[in-house]
Every structure is written in C-alpha cells, then in structure tokens.
C-alpha cells in the first residue's frame, strides 16, 4: 500500500504541525546542496526562485528559449484564493470543500486543505511582486466567479492572469540568477533521470541547439514540466508541451497516477478543419457573465440574433438552476456534447453552442447609465456603455476571438465547444510532493495530487504557485537534511555514463529508422484514437479497441517514422519524435486506466455508468482510490492503490441543481 505521509491530527492543523516538526537545513549546509528544477512555468519558476532565495544551489532547465515562454503564460481567467474580500461567505474550508466536490471526491483531503490554506499567501506574494491584479473602484483587489462555486474568489488580471503571474515568478527567478544562486539553462530538455543507490541524483539533458547530451548532478530533482494534454494532438496546450520528463521518471520507477483523468474545457473555439495543430481557449471567466444556449429546434439554421428569446434553450440554467452557467467544467462540457449529439449544435459543423453576452452588455450598460445619472438613456446608449464595461473586463479575449473567427462577439454570440485543456493525472506524489523515487519531486500539473477527477477553473495557477512558493521549501528540507554529508557526485560516475548511453542509443535508434511517415502524422493518428475512445465519453469496447490500435501504432512508429536532419544540430523533428514516442506509451496506459476504472467520476465518463439523468455515477465501494501504475515491461503495468479516506467531507452524489 502506498504511504501518502499525511500528518496525523485534525485536518486544519496538519500543515501547521508538519511545518513545525519537519527537519531543517541550516543556511551553511544549504549552500552545499544542489537542486535541479526541470521546467520553469509557474511551479518551476517559483520553486527555483524560492530555493535560490533560501540558499540552495539551483540549476533550472527549460526547453524554451526563455522561462517566459512556459505554457503557464497562456492561462487567462484567474487564480483562486480564500480571501473572502467579497464578504459572500467564502472561507478556507469552503475552498477546500468546493475543490474536493469539484474533483468528484477523488482527491486527497490533506493536500487539498493545505492548498486552500496557503492560497491567500499566494495573492500577497504576487501583489508584493507587482502583479497587476484587477482592482475595484476604491483600489481593493477585485474578484469574479468561476465554475463549481457560489462565491467570488477568483483574482485576475483581465484575460491574461497567467502571463502576469509568470512575469512575477520570472522576475523572482531572474533575481536569483543575477545573484548567482540559480543557473538557468534554456533550450535544454531532460531526457532521463540518473539513479544512484535508489535515489534521484541528476539528469541527462539534451542541448536543443547543438544536439549535445549533458550530465547534471543534483542532490534532489524537481519535475515541474506540466501536463500531458497534447497526447490528444489537438488541445489548448502549447505545441511544445509534452509528457517526456514525467514519462522518463515513470520508466525509471516513479508511479503514474490516474492517467485517465483528463479535463475537457467547455469554452474553446471549435475545430475548423484538418489544418489545425492546436485549439484556442476562451477563458472560463466568460461564463461569469455570458449565457450559454442552443436553439430549441433541431437543425435551426437561422443566425443567432434572429432567434427570439422564447426559442432559445439556456440548457445549463435549465438543468442546473443553482449554479447555472457556472457549473464545473466536466459538467458543462458533457452538457454541450449532449446537446450537439442530439442535433441542436450550431455553426457549419453543428459541433458548437453559443456563448452570448447580449444580456450582460445591457445589464452593465444600465448600471453604468445609473452611475452617470442618465436616467432616460436610450437602448443604443445603454449598449454602448455596456460594451465599454465588457471591454474593460474581457477585451483581450473578445479581440482574440474576433481575430481567429472574423466575428465580432460584441455583436453576435461566440461559438464554443469543449476541448482538451488540463490533466489531473500525473506522477504519484506523497504529501511532501515526492514521487516513489526518493529525491525526485513533482510539482504543479506534473503531479496528480490536488484536483481529483476534475479541476475547478482558476485552481491550476493556485496549485502551481502553492507548490513552488509555499510547499516545496519546507518538504524538500525534510529530505535534504539527511543528505548534507553527500558530496556532489562526479558526472563520470557509472550511473551517469550508463544513463547517457541509453539516451544516445535511443536517439540513434530513432534516427536510423529512416521510414516513410512524418512524426506529425503519427501524433495526429494517436490523438484521434485517444479523443474518439478515451475522450469526453468512454466505454469498455472502445477502450479495448484503443489499446490494440495504440499498440499497433507504436509498432508502426518504431518501424516507419522518418526524421530528417542530423543528431548533432538543432533538430525540432527529432525533439518531437522523442516526445511522440512517449505520448504513444502514455496513450496506452491512459486507456488501460480508463478501462480499469468501471465508474464515472469528474472528467472520466464511462457510458455504462451514468444516472438516469445522464450524470456521472461513481462507485465509491470499489473505486475510492488513487490508481498508481508501475511500468513492468512493454505493454505491461501493475496497479497500486492509495485508498482515499475522507475524515471531514462525506462523499455524496454531486449535484449542482
């Protein structure tokens, strides 16, 4: 049985107790200890900056040309924190409860409560760094609503919150680089973990500019490399986002948890054709004021503004009156799919629903008119004033939509459809964020720990910064306190030589296939298999087919892929081939995990397990556990279970009605 190392005692005292009793490393010893951080998004940049500030010798790696290009920059809508600035009933407990419930009771109580506890500190930290959060008229920080909650707890910076938070973390990181506490290695990709005496002691990295392989020692290694949504090919992730760092750790013995728990985001711009390589997210914050609807008549081809109010079906408001358009992402996504599958979809593809701002524009316009003393304002004035307010709140998102679609969302409703966005699964970690490999940690989206089977909107940024700024500085010390007598291990140690040799052999094997098909073609085919059979809905027969198809695809990839260029040069196709090879193996495990979990929960919807109303039907008596998979051989994994014990929250059938 897996040991999660959850501290004893009352839930709300566990983190305080842990911090008060964990081992410490004195400042002089910190200067002797080396830490490797892989990935410099919000989790990685905040961790590297924090550990550098504490005095550790840090090496940070990213495959981009700058940490500022990490995919965290793409987050739009906001970051959650239990500050209760709105005086609307929020609290640490309510944030904890909403997160547990939103994850359909498949998350670990101890980790989630800690996340809620430190959430307020994150906002204070970021404000101190100069992050320009939106503010109310009086100067206080503003909040807005997000899905799965009935309070306003989401802090935001227009529709570019991720960018502003990443710049804050990046500045903190660059300060430590300038002070010499952090060495930053950009354009470097981690291709293997180095293990010595059962502990993680370094990595093998490839310089993506020269093609050279490099050996780097560390007393501990932190993987902050994001999620694996690009296994689907089409997703809202940056095209470079990949699973390779986590997967290399998995192949070395780190268990991979809940891989079938992937999140489909309900508000994305629909697919427009076979030419696309990624999808564009429209922030969940738009559901704050926008209303989602489809025509009441099947196959209605009228323009949206020609369809009268009484002929529109605001289906989320109808089905979930208590939460309306702000139900969690998995619920909203399935509802949109259900309407489109039933023949009510809109647009040329009929695979879209409307997100309409007409009511919000009028509502804001009337408020603004009252503020300006315009008691008899005509409709044109009200609409103009309302558009100005909406532009201030969501302008960059509206501009982005218009640039991509050619339609003005101030005048006509946006068309949206669900798309792959986030992955709740990841490397299994304990309360200290350590994987099953001693000395190897996983932070942020790279681990599984905080979101269960579905992540609430605006919680990804919260987890990434919580892990980096406020959790790992304590938990890594608890491990490194016992490593202070370990001198830096020379990189000519046999374990480094062996790991580098294995990486080199794999690269040569890939280059020597000299087949006929592009890496991209294999990635597209993999994505279609996983989306069709392990996407928004899954069933046993489809998953069994998918496993066979992925196995066949893997065999074909390793016999017929063509990679142009050479090894010792900048070769993006070789980089991509390495990543797609890992995605193929992950895709097989995702389907195995989904087949094993014979229930529906959160983002994992098994068609055989649903209520009469089409909602997810859990089986707590059989599946109240984290599924952590150990790789044994090709196509062979062993399941380990971490039972989920709920001391405070009593699991029940989720209801947002």
């Amino acid at each position: 049985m897996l040991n999660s190392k959850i501290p004893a005692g009352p839930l709300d005292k566990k983190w305080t107790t842990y911090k008060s009793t964990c081992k410490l490393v004195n400042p002089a010893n910190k200067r002797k200890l080396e830490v490797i951080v892989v990935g410099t998004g919000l989790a990685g940049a905040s961790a590297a900056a924090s550990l550098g500030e504490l005095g550790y010798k840090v090496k940070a790696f990213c495959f981009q040309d700058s940490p500022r290009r990490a995919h965290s920059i793409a987050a739009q809508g906001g970051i959650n924190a239990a500050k209760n600035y709105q005086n609307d009933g929020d609290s640490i407990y309510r944030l904890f409860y909403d997160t547990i419930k939103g994850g359909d009771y498949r998350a670990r109580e101890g980790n989630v409560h800690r996340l809620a506890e430190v959430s307020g500190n994150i906002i204070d930290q970021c404000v101190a760094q100069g992050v320009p959060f939106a503010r109310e008229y009086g100067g206080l920080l503003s909040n807005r609503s997000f899905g799965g909650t009935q309070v306003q707890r989401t802090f935001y910076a227009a529709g570019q919150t991720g960018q502003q938070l990443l710049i804050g973390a990046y500045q903190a990181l660059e300060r430590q680089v300038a002070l010499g506490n952090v060495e930053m290695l950009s354009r470097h990709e981690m291709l293997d973990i180095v293990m010595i005496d059962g502990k993680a002691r370094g990595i093998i990295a490839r310089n993506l500019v020269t093609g050279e392989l490099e050996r780097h020692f560390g007393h501990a290694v932190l993987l902050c490399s994001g999620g694996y949504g690009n296994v689907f090919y089409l997703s809202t992730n940056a095209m470079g986002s990949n699973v390779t760092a986590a997967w290399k750790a998995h192949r070395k013995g780190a268990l991979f948890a809940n891989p079938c728990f992937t999140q489909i985001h309900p508000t994305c711009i629909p697919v427009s054709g076979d030419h696309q390589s990624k999808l564009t997210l429209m922030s969940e914050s738009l559901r704050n004021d926008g209303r989602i609807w489809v025509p009441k008549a099947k196959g209605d081809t009228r323009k949206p503004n020609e369809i009268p109010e009484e002929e529109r079906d605001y289906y989320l408001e109808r089905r979930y009156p208590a939460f309306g358009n702000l139900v969690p992402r998995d619920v909203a996504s399935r509802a949109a799919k259900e309407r489109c599958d039933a023949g009510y979809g809109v647009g040329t593809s009929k695979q879209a629903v409307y997100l309409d701002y007409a009511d919000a524009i009028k509502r804001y316009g009337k408020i603004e008119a009252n503020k300006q003393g315009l008691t008899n304002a005509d409709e044109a004035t009200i609409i103009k004033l309302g558009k100005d307010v909406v532009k201030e709140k969501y302008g960059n998102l509206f501009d982005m939509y218009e640039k991509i679609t050619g339609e003005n969302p101030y005048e006509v409703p946006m068309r949206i459809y669900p798309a792959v966005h986030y992955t709740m699964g990841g490397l299994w970690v304990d309360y200290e964020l350590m994987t099953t490999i001693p000395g190897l940690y996983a932070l942020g989206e790279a681990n599984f720990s905080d979101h269960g089977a579905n992540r609430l909107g605006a919680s990804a940024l919260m987890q990434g910064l919580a892990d980096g700024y406020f959790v790992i500085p304590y938990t890594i010390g608890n491990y490194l306190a016992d490593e202070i007598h370990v001198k830096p291990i020379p990189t000519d140690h046999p374990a480094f030589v062996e790991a580098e040799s294995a990486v080199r052999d794999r690269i040569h094997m890939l280059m020597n296939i000299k087949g006929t098909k592009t890496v991209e073609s294999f990635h597209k085919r993999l994505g279609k298999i996983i989306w069709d059979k392990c996407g928004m809905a899954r069933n046993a027969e489809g998953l069994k087919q998918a496993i066979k198809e992925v196995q066949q695809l893997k065999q074909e990839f390793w016999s017929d892929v063509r990679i142009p260029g050479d090894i010792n040069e900048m070769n993006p196709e070789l980089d991509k081939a390495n990543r797609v090879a890992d995605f193929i193996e992950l895709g097989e495990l995702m389907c195995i995990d989904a087949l094993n979990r014979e229930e529906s929960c959160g983002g994992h919807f098994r068609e055989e397990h649903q209520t009469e109303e089409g909602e997810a039907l859990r089986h707590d008596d059989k599946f109240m556990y984290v599924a952590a998979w150990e790789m044994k051989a090709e196509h062979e994994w062993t399941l380990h279970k971490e039972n989920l014990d709920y001391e405070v929250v009593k699991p029940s059938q989720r209801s947002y009605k």
Side-chain angles (χ1 to χ4, degrees):
M1 192 62 66
L2 291 166
N3 179 12
S4 59
K5 297 183 188 172
I6 303 292
L11 184 64
D12 59 350
K13 298 288 191 294
K14 290 182 188 294
W15 181 231
T16 302
T17 301
Y18 178 91
K19 289 189 294 180
S20 302
T21 56
C22 66
K23 297 173 184 174
L24 301 176
V25 181
N26 81 47
N29 284 330
K30 283 175 183 159
R31 292 192 288 270
K32 301 173 187 174
L33 293 168
E34 301 181 28
V35 179
I36 287 173
V37 178
V38 178
T40 52
L42 285 180
S46 59
S50 300
L51 297 178
E53 179 76 33
L54 286 172
Y56 294 105
K57 294 167 67 176
V58 180
K59 279 186 180 178
F61 296 79
C62 69
F63 65 74
Q64 300 93 342
D65 59 357
S66 164
R68 284 186 61 175
R69 291 191 184 275
H71 182 58
S72 301
I73 206 167
Q76 296 171 349
I79 176 171
N80 289 332
K83 286 282 199 182
N84 195 29
Y85 282 176
Q86 304 298 320
N87 197 29
D88 56 1
D90 200 9
S91 65
I92 288 172
Y93 179 83
R94 199 173 290 276
L95 172 53
F96 155 74
Y97 175 79
D98 287 345
T99 305
I100 290 283
K101 178 184 175 183
D104 216 353
Y105 306 98
R106 290 295 177 264
R108 192 192 280 156
E109 272 193 340
N111 287 63
V112 177
H113 197 278
R114 175 176 65 188
L115 179 64
E117 285 180 67
V118 305
S119 64
N121 297 343
I122 298 169
I123 304 304
D124 297 340
Q125 172 91 0
C126 294
V127 169
Q129 289 173 341
V131 173
F133 285 121
R135 293 180 180 267
E136 302 287 4
Y137 177 76
L140 299 177
L141 296 183
S142 180
N143 293 110
R144 56 189 177 200
S145 300
F146 257 63
T149 73
Q150 291 178 306
V151 297
Q152 294 185 81
R153 66 161 66 102
T154 304
F155 295 78
Y156 62 98
Q160 50 183 243
T161 313
Q163 177 178 346
Q164 299 302 331
L165 290 172
L166 186 61
I167 289 172
Y170 169 74
Q171 289 176 154
L173 171 62
E174 287 301 310
R175 178 173 179 270
Q176 296 304 315
V177 171
L179 292 172
N181 298 329
V182 176
E183 181 184 354
M184 185 68 232
L185 293 99
S186 57
R187 288 291 186 194
H188 281 68
E189 183 164 26
M190 189 208 95
L191 293 182
D192 209 355
I193 295 283
V194 178
M195 304 266 295
I196 299 175
D197 297 329
K199 296 181 178 180
R201 290 300 191 196
I203 67 170
I204 304 298
R206 183 167 181 267
N207 183 322
L208 299 182
V209 177
T210 66
E212 289 180 75
L213 296 180
E214 300 176 4
R215 309 169 190 174
H216 296 274
F217 166 79
H219 288 90
V221 178
L222 277 55
L223 300 184
C224 312
S225 49
Y228 51 88
N230 275 352
V231 68
F232 291 90
Y233 185 70
L234 282 180
S235 81
T236 65
N237 290 191
M239 288 182 65
S241 298
N242 63 81
V243 76
T244 288
W247 198 251
K248 300 309 185 193
H250 177 54
R251 291 185 67 93
K252 279 289 176 76
L255 302 191
F256 207 101
N258 297 338
C260 76
F261 287 171
T262 55
Q263 180 169 86
I264 314 297
H265 197 295
T267 49
C268 297
I269 297 178
V271 176
S272 60
D274 294 336
H275 62 284
Q276 280 182 272
S277 56
K278 78 176 298 294
L279 297 173
T280 304
L281 171 70
M282 299 307 296
S283 168
E284 182 174 313
S285 63
L286 293 171
R287 290 200 278 145
N288 208 49
D289 287 309
R291 299 180 72 193
I292 295 171
W293 63 276
V294 292
K296 286 185 177 178
K298 285 186 181 181
D300 195 325
T301 57
R302 288 177 292 175
K303 293 179 180 178
N305 291 345
E306 295 173 356
I307 300 175
E309 187 73 13
E310 62 272 15
E311 295 180 36
R312 300 179 178 188
D313 177 16
Y314 295 93
Y315 59 89
L316 290 178
E317 298 171 35
R318 169 173 56 81
R319 289 181 61 176
Y320 309 102
F323 283 73
N325 295 294
L326 287 171
V327 291
R329 290 174 175 178
D330 60 316
V331 177
S333 294
R334 278 197 298 277
K337 181 180 187 295
E338 184 275 328
R339 287 291 81 190
C340 291
D341 289 351
Y344 297 93
V346 301
T348 53
S349 68
K350 300 301 179 186
Q351 292 294 300
V353 299
Y354 289 128
L355 176 62
D356 197 336
Y357 258 73
D359 284 357
I361 287 171
K362 289 179 182 176
R363 175 164 49 84
Y364 281 126
K366 288 176 182 176
I367 293 171
E368 198 62 25
N370 288 335
K371 282 162 63 175
Q372 296 182 20
L374 304 174
T375 51
N376 295 310
D378 58 21
E379 186 167 339
T381 302
I382 287 171
I383 288 175
K384 181 185 180 305
L385 292 170
K387 285 179 180 178
D388 289 342
V389 174
V390 169
K391 186 171 185 178
E392 186 176 344
K393 280 177 170 281
Y394 308 106
N396 65 311
L397 298 171
F398 277 55
D399 292 345
M400 184 169 67
Y401 182 88
E402 185 170 11
K403 284 179 181 177
I404 291 171
T405 65
E407 298 173 359
N408 182 350
Y410 294 101
E411 304 294 337
V412 296
M414 297 181 190
R415 286 173 293 108
I416 57 168
Y417 193 72
V420 174
H421 177 57
Y422 186 90
T423 52
M424 284 76 64
L427 291 176
W428 184 91
V429 294
D430 59 25
Y431 189 72
E432 298 184 320
L433 305 184
M434 190 188 290
T435 68
T436 47
I437 295 175
L440 180 67
Y441 296 80
L443 282 65
E445 194 179 354
N447 75 36
F448 87 99
S449 67
D450 290 24
H451 307 296
N454 173 64
R455 176 175 68 75
L456 293 183
S459 286
L461 306 186
M462 176 174 61
Q463 186 207 348
L465 291 179
D467 286 356
Y469 281 139
F470 298 110
V471 178
I472 199 66
Y474 287 94
T475 63
I476 199 171
N478 203 42
Y479 171 75
L480 291 178
D482 295 328
E483 301 295 314
I484 58 176
H485 299 298
V486 177
K487 290 184 168 56
I489 298 171
T491 54
D492 59 1
H493 186 284
F496 279 94
V497 176
E498 184 183 339
E500 183 184 325
S501 177
V503 171
R504 181 174 284 105
D505 289 347
R506 176 183 160 101
I507 290 172
H508 281 282
M509 193 184 302
L510 281 167
M511 292 299 294
N512 289 332
I513 295 170
K514 301 188 186 305
T516 61
K517 296 186 177 70
T518 65
V519 176
E520 191 84 348
S521 68
F522 283 104
H523 196 179
K524 276 188 177 181
R525 287 165 60 192
L526 172 69
K528 181 164 176 51
I529 294 168
I530 304 299
W531 175 250
D532 287 347
K533 293 167 182 172
C534 194
M536 260 196 285
R538 303 100 185 258
N539 60 61
E541 188 56 39
L543 289 166
K544 289 173 184 175
Q545 291 172 8
I547 291 168
K548 290 179 183 176
E549 289 172 22
V550 173
Q551 289 175 349
Q552 291 167 358
L553 188 71
K554 180 178 179 179
Q555 187 177 1
E556 189 180 341
F557 175 89
W558 283 98
S559 61
D560 199 24
V561 73
R562 182 179 66 83
I563 304 169
D566 293 316
I567 293 172
N568 295 316
E569 65 179 14
M570 190 169 183
N571 189 341
E573 284 300 298
L574 175 57
D575 305 337
K576 194 189 301 181
N578 255 315
R579 297 165 189 168
V580 171
D582 293 332
F583 273 137
I584 291 172
E585 293 181 358
L586 167 68
E588 182 180 352
L589 180 58
M590 287 173 65
C591 296
I592 290 171
D593 186 41
L595 183 62
N596 171 76
R597 189 168 284 275
E598 292 190 42
E599 66 167 351
S600 291
C601 56
H604 167 66
F605 190 75
R606 282 285 294 270
E607 293 172 345
E608 307 96 321
H609 303 280
Q610 54 183 302
T611 66
E612 291 180 2
E613 297 173 315
E615 304 294 344
L617 181 61
R618 296 194 324 268
H619 298 305
D620 292 347
D621 56 331
K622 298 177 183 175
F623 295 98
M624 186 74 87
Y625 63 76
V626 176
W629 297 90
E630 178 186 3
M631 190 178 225
K632 288 292 191 181
E634 187 177 18
H635 310 308
E636 186 183 335
W637 284 267
T638 298
L639 174 62
H640 300 266
K641 299 177 182 179
E642 178 202 338
N643 291 330
L644 293 169
D645 298 316
Y646 287 97
E647 301 172 17
V648 175
V649 174
K650 301 306 175 194
S652 59
Q653 179 66 36
R654 265 196 318 172
S655 175
Y656 292 95
K657 297 183 178 183

